[in-house]
């Protein structure tokens, strides 16, 4: 991912980089490619926002890989918040039983656990405090 630049500061950019990743970019990627791209960004201190989120299996795998990479001096883990997808697809009983409701979330925000704190979350809003460490 391209890094933000601030030509006025020789030590690098001020602020926090936010990577907004389209669903189109994620579509052709395998699960581990997605996870690696997300964690590489978070390791660099970036906030990663996924337009279409991850499947429940991908999100579980992301958490597993994150737990394996936690190091007290280098990586504190991730904070992850997801909007649920609206129930307009197939919320019928038959649709849920047949598993056609296994869709990705519509938006996911992921960042370093020591830099992002969720202040409020409901079905229409994620409010987070982001600090620069």
């Amino acid at each position: 991912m391209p890094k933000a630049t601030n030509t006025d500061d020789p030590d690098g950019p001020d602020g926090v980089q936010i990577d907004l990743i389209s669903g189109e970019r994620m579509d052709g990627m395998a699960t581990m490619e997605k996870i690696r791209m997300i964690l590489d960004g978070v390791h660099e201190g970036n906030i990663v926002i996924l337009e279409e989120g991850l499947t429940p299996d991908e999100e579980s795998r992301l958490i597993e890989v994150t737990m394996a990479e936690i190091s007290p001096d280098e990586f504190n883990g991730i904070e992850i918040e997801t909007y649920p997808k609206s129930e307009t697809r197939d919320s019928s009983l038959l649709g849920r039983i047949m598993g056609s409701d296994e869709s990705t979330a519509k938006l996911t925000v992921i960042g370093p656990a020591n830099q992002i704190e969720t202040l409020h979350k409901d079905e229409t809003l994620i409010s987070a405090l982001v600090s620069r460490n």
Side-chain angles (χ1 to χ4, degrees):
M1 303 215 179
K3 295 299 290 177
T5 57
N6 180 345
T7 56
D8 299 330
D9 184 359
D11 295 326
D14 286 335
V16 176
Q17 179 173 323
I18 299 174
D19 296 329
L20 306 164
I21 302 173
S22 70
E24 183 179 336
R25 180 169 182 180
M26 300 286 280
D27 280 344
M29 299 174 90
T31 297
M32 285 310 297
E33 288 176 299
K34 293 177 186 179
I35 290 169
R36 197 68 267 147
M37 180 179 66
I38 292 165
L39 286 178
D40 287 349
V42 173
H43 274 287
E44 293 174 6
N46 302 340
I47 305 301
V48 178
I49 300 177
L50 306 177
E51 177 186 30
E52 294 184 2
L54 300 170
T55 66
D57 289 341
E58 289 170 336
E59 196 166 311
S60 294
R61 187 72 181 125
L62 173 63
I63 292 167
E64 287 175 26
V65 173
T66 299
M67 297 302 287
E69 293 185 8
I70 289 178
S71 168
D73 297 331
E74 296 177 21
F75 184 58
N76 294 330
I78 63 172
E79 178 77 20
I80 182 168
E81 288 295 345
T82 302
Y83 281 115
K85 192 167 202 82
S86 64
E87 296 295 324
T88 56
R89 279 192 63 207
D90 187 359
S91 59
S92 67
L93 178 60
L94 182 60
R96 287 192 306 259
I97 291 170
M98 298 304 288
S100 64
D101 203 16
E102 188 179 318
S103 61
T104 57
K106 62 180 172 181
L107 183 72
T108 301
V109 180
I110 306 163
N114 63 341
Q115 288 181 241
I116 186 168
E117 176 187 350
T118 302
L119 302 175
H120 175 79
K121 178 188 170 194
D122 63 35
E123 63 276 354
T124 61
L125 171 73
I126 296 174
S127 180
L129 178 65
V130 179
S131 62
R132 179 155 169 81
N133 275 359

